[in-house]
């Protein structure tokens, strides 16, 4: 089985580093699936769920991303995410509260900096909620 090395890094920490046989990412123009030996590619990713099929693991490895960049090489993928959270670290109540707080901050933003911070916080919360929604649909 052909494999590729995948690195998922956020501004805070390395989220995943290891082998994968398939990856799905939320690219700007829609979801993109990547197998080993894919043609080189550089694309922006939007808030959503990064899904990895890891050899020897029953389910997918899920990572909620709030946006960033993805570089694809034939044997290596690098995802540089603005913010990323592992699937097992997601908390729906916290994500909903973060979304409400970000929407409120956006309404009351008085300058460009506070608006940008509110947009970034909202993107993180939306990515978490999309990941949780994906998990819920997969279980049903």
């Amino acid at each position: 089985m052909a494999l590729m090395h995948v690195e998922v890094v956020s501004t805070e920490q390395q989220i995943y580093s290891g082998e994968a046989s398939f990856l799905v990412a939320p690219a700007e123009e829609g979801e993109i699936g990547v197998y080993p030996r894919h043609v080189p590619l550089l694309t922006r990713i939007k808030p959503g769920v990064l899904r990895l099929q890891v050899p020897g693991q029953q389910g997918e490895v899920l990572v909620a991303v709030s946006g960033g960049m993805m570089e694809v090489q034939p044997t290596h993928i690098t995802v540089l995410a603005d913010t990323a959270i592992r699937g097992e670290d997601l908390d729906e109540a916290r994500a909903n509260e973060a979304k409400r707080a970000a929407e409120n901050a956006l309404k009351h933003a008085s300058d460009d900096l506070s608006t940008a911070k509110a947009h970034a916080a909202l993107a993180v919360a939306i990515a978490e909620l999309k990941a949780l929604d994906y998990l819920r649909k997969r279980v049903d």
Side-chain angles (χ1 to χ4, degrees):
M1 173 193 314
L3 298 175
M4 56 196 168
H5 187 76
V6 179
E7 301 272 342
V8 180
V9 181
S10 74
T11 55
E12 293 96 24
Q13 65 183 343
Q14 183 174 46
I15 303 298
Y16 178 84
S17 178
E19 301 297 315
S21 58
F22 183 62
L23 173 141
V24 177
E28 283 272 309
E29 301 298 320
E31 281 194 334
I32 181 172
V34 181
Y35 283 103
R37 296 190 288 273
H38 193 282
V39 64
L41 168 76
L42 182 64
T43 186
R44 289 175 50 169
I45 54 175
K46 62 182 184 177
V49 183
L50 187 72
R51 304 187 322 257
L52 299 132
Q53 288 181 355
V54 178
Q57 245 184 289
Q58 192 70 350
E60 297 173 311
V61 172
L62 301 179
V63 179
V65 293
S66 65
M69 297 294 294
M70 180 173 74
E71 178 189 19
V72 176
Q73 294 295 326
T75 60
H76 192 92
I77 296 176
T78 304
V79 177
L80 303 172
D82 300 329
T83 303
I85 301 169
R86 290 180 184 90
E88 62 266 14
D89 296 335
L90 295 171
D91 177 348
E92 187 170 13
R94 184 178 48 85
N96 279 318
E97 180 54 37
K99 182 176 182 253
R100 278 191 290 279
E103 288 170 339
N104 189 42
L106 199 53
K107 285 180 191 174
H108 297 95
S110 58
D111 58 21
D112 290 344
L113 180 60
S114 56
T115 300
K117 286 181 179 180
H119 276 294
L122 186 58
V124 171
I126 288 171
E128 288 184 46
L129 291 169
K130 282 183 179 181
L132 287 161
D133 187 51
Y134 175 79
L135 282 169
R136 192 175 303 116
K137 286 178 183 173
R138 197 174 71 173
V139 170
D140 292 342

